[in-house]
């Protein structure tokens, strides 16, 4: 089961409450389940209905509403929460949180939850600089609560200063940087490879493949969110490195082989999502190969590259987990099963890249997960982040089994 994070978003009374709507959308888009709590003051700026529509969950505003007779509302929500985000956070809610005041649904539930908290102070610069606010923010930090630095810029009051709520995308990054609760992958050293390696023909031409890196990057991000220490070794892509992930850039299969085999000794889990060139030119020309009147055809002699997973199999120690991919256009399961065995893998993620929406380049994939001791698990066609969650779930279960 995917570790779908449960985020409780606390919205308090600030004109920036409208930005919390965007934050809700981004969280939901990221596969997070969101429940919103609003203070009375927040309701003066944005309606609960807007958050209800975006989050697809009822919005909590009243500590005496008692919607479920079998449960105490604020305790149920507090226990459900994996992460509490207070955005925008006024001086008032910061003061309550720092001083243990619980007199409305938001402050009451915040006090009841033991989940990690991220507070996003949002207010006029003078209120931010008020010694009481500064003291309260210092107390939150001492209590182990994460506090974001407010942004600077044009304030609602009509002048520039500090105190603006950071943009929702920035808050998303801060959320991803927060360590999740302990998972089987917490503290595990993980290498993920991604992208298509490049083999030079001459200074201006190379052989490569259609890999965009999206599948590998999604796995690296998912691993990081579950507390793993992730190194992403990537051939060129157009993607942004996920927050909190160490990055190593490579070009050729040889570069990738060296980076992987060097790091493997200190690694708990290797995931080879990179599309590795199986052949490279025997030699690469020093100068651009020119066409001339007498060469209507040209031949490039290719030689096999080293099989990185086979090299790694020789270095593998008990407890280390290796995960390969198989990009096939025919006989998916037979070819994948052969790779699982010949590369001594713990998991093999097979994708039939001849099918629309599967494999290279796009935002979606559909895979079959093979393991030596289990029946294959076939996923539906879904976006690569969802597939990454399903793959990482299986890796996580294997870690637990081996552990
Ligand atoms: O990057 P995207 O656009 O998101 O596309 C995702 C993907 C299609 C690239 C990904 O899902 C995928 O299938 N990656 C593996 C592609 C591949 O090289 O498959 P393969 O069947 O040729 O290789 C089998 C396994 O051996 C792979 O794990 C590969 O990384 C590894 N290999 C291959 C060749 C080689 N010389 N050394 C290797 O270790």
């Amino acid at each position: 089961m995917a570790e779908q994070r449960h985020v409780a978003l606390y919205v308090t009374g600030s004109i920036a409450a409208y930005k919390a709507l965007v934050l809700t959308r981004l969280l939901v888009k990221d596969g997070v389940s969101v429940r919103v709590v609003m203070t009375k003051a927040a309701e003066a700026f944005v309606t609960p209905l807007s958050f209800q529509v975006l989050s697809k969950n009822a919005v909590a505003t009243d500590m005496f509403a008692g919607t479920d007779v079998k449960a105490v509302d604020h305790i149920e929500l507090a226990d459900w929460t994996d992460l509490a985000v207070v955005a925008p956070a006024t001086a008032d809610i910061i003061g309550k949180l720092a001083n243990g005041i619980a007199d409305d649904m938001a402050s009451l539930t915040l006090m009841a939850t033991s989940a990690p908290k991220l507070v996003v102070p949002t207010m006029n610069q003078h209120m931010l600089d008020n010694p009481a606010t500064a003291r309260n923010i210092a107390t939150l930090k001492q209590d182990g609560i994460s506090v974001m630095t407010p942004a600077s810029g044009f304030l609602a009051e009509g002048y520039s200063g500090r105190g603006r709520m950071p943009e929702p995308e920035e808050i998303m990054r801060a959320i991803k940087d927060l360590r999740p609760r302990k998972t089987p992958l917490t503290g595990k050293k993980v290498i993920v490879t991604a992208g298509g390696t490049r083999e030079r023909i001459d200074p201006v031409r190379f052989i490569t493949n259609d890999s965009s890196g999206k599948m590998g990057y999604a796995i690296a991000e998912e691993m990081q969110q579950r507390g793993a220490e992730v190194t992403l070794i990537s051939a060129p892509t157009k993607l942004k490195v996920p927050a909190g992930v160490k990055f190593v850039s490579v070009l050729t299969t040889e570069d990738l082989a060296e980076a992987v085999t060097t790091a493997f000794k200190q690694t708990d889990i290797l995931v080879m999502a990179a599309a590795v060139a199986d052949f490279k030119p025997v030699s690469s020309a020093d100068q651009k190969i020119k066409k001339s009147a007498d060469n209507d055809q040209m031949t490039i002699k290719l030689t096999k590259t080293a099989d990185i997973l086979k090299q790694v199999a020789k270095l593998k120690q008990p407890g280390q987990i290796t995960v390969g991919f198989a990009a096939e256009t025919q006989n998916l399961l037979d070819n994948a099963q052969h790779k699982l065995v010949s590369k001594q893998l713990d998991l093999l993620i097979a994708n039939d890249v001849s099918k629309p929406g599967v494999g290279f380049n796009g935002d979606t994939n559909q895979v079959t997960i093979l393991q030596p001791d289990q029946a294959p698990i076939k996923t539906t066609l879904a976006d690569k982040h969802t597939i990454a969650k399903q793959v990482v779930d299986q890796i996580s279960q294997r870690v637990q089994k081996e552990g």
Side-chain angles (χ1 to χ4, degrees):
M1 166 62 201
E3 281 171 58
Q4 171 100 335
R5 281 187 304 157
H6 292 172
V7 171
L9 176 61
Y10 292 78
V11 183
T12 66
S14 156
I15 180 63
Y18 77 90
K19 287 192 192 172
L21 291 169
V22 182
L23 180 60
T24 306
R25 273 203 77 217
L26 293 178
L27 285 163
V28 170
K29 207 171 149 214
D30 210 35
V32 172
S33 181
V34 183
R35 287 169 68 180
V36 176
V37 184
M38 293 177 78
T39 61
K40 279 277 161 288
E43 286 184 68
F45 293 95
V46 188
T47 68
L49 184 61
S50 309
F51 285 105
Q52 182 182 309
V53 170
L54 290 173
S55 68
K56 310 231 173 350
N57 277 314
V59 174
T61 54
D62 182 354
M63 61 178 163
F64 299 120
T67 46
D68 183 350
V69 289
K70 292 205 184 97
V72 179
D73 283 359
H74 67 283
I75 300 295
E76 184 276 323
L77 178 52
D79 289 347
W80 171 90
T81 303
D82 285 334
L83 173 70
V85 178
V86 191
T90 56
D92 182 65
I93 194 78
I94 290 171
K96 284 178 181 168
L97 197 50
N99 293 286
I101 297 167
D103 64 353
D104 62 5
M105 186 60 177
S107 52
L108 185 67
T109 315
L110 275 170
M111 187 175 254
T113 189
S114 57
K117 299 176 189 71
L118 174 69
V119 171
V120 186
T122 307
M123 64 196 79
N124 173 275
Q125 175 167 340
H126 303 304
M127 292 176 74
L128 194 64
D129 290 340
N130 183 294
T133 312
R135 255 195 324 274
N136 289 333
I137 288 179
T139 303
L140 295 189
K141 290 181 181 169
Q142 271 166 25
D143 290 348
I145 293 174
S146 304
V147 181
M148 270 187 91
T149 307
S152 295
F154 196 70
L155 301 174
E157 294 77 354
Y159 52 87
S160 286
R162 285 178 297 110
R164 278 170 61 89
M165 178 162 139
E167 294 309 312
E169 291 76 9
E170 234 176 286
I171 300 175
M172 283 297 286
R173 280 196 286 278
I175 290 172
K176 287 180 182 174
D177 280 347
L178 289 179
R179 277 279 146 100
R181 286 178 176 177
K182 202 167 180 328
T183 80
L185 297 169
T186 303
K188 293 287 176 206
K189 293 192 169 49
V190 175
I191 297 176
V192 180
T193 69
T197 55
R198 287 183 182 179
E199 305 301 339
R200 281 262 154 225
I201 297 168
D202 70 11
V204 297
R205 302 181 182 94
F206 51 79
I207 299 171
T208 190
N209 55 66
D210 279 326
S211 172
S212 62
K214 287 177 188 169
M215 194 65 251
Y217 278 54
I219 290 175
E221 185 173 14
E222 186 60 29
M223 287 278 193
Q224 193 278 336
Q225 283 180 10
R226 298 195 197 192
E229 290 173 26
V230 183
T231 302
L232 176 62
I233 305 179
S234 178
T237 73
K238 295 195 173 90
L239 304 175
K240 239 174 102 181
V241 179
V245 166
K246 195 175 146 205
F247 185 70
V248 177
S249 167
V250 294
L251 277 177
T252 65
T253 303
E254 206 175 316
D255 294 345
L256 181 62
E258 194 184 326
V260 169
T261 50
T262 307
F264 186 67
K265 216 192 251 176
Q266 321 291 340
T267 298
D268 298 304
I269 303 162
L270 167 67
V271 183
M272 283 286 292
V276 184
D278 288 321
F279 295 94
K280 64 175 184 179
V282 168
S283 62
S284 143
D286 289 341
Q287 304 299 328
K288 181 181 170 191
I289 299 169
K290 295 288 212 186
K291 62 179 176 189
S292 64
D294 56 356
N295 70 349
D296 283 349
Q297 291 186 348
M298 76 169 276
T299 304
I300 302 170
K301 199 164 177 195
L302 301 177
T303 179
K304 248 193 205 161
T305 57
D307 189 312
I308 303 169
L309 278 174
K310 281 194 176 157
Q311 284 183 356
V312 162
K314 292 189 195 134
L315 307 171
K316 198 170 168 187
Q317 296 293 321
Q320 285 184 303
I321 290 176
T322 53
V323 184
F325 271 71
E328 304 295 342
T329 54
Q330 55 184 341
N331 304 330
L332 178 75
L333 288 185
D334 286 350
N335 287 334
Q337 184 62 36
H338 173 73
K339 284 178 184 167
L340 178 73
V341 175
S342 66
K343 299 188 185 220
Q344 295 175 41
L345 299 167
D346 299 284
L347 293 100
L348 189 285
I349 319 302
N351 31 205
D352 182 345
V353 296
S354 67
K355 291 197 172 143
V358 176
F360 291 102
N361 232 328
D363 290 328
T364 56
N365 205 359
Q366 187 263 311
V367 301
T368 303
I369 305 170
L370 306 184
Q371 298 181 56
D373 51 357
Q374 274 190 39
I377 299 167
K378 190 173 173 182
T379 73
T380 54
L381 184 73
D383 69 88
K384 284 182 176 165
H385 286 278
T386 304
I387 299 294
K389 280 185 204 301
Q390 291 169 324
V391 167
V392 176
D393 280 346
Q394 291 306 314
I395 298 173
S396 188
Q397 282 181 21
R398 188 140 287 269
V399 169
Q400 267 176 314
K401 254 192 220 163
E402 309 243 322

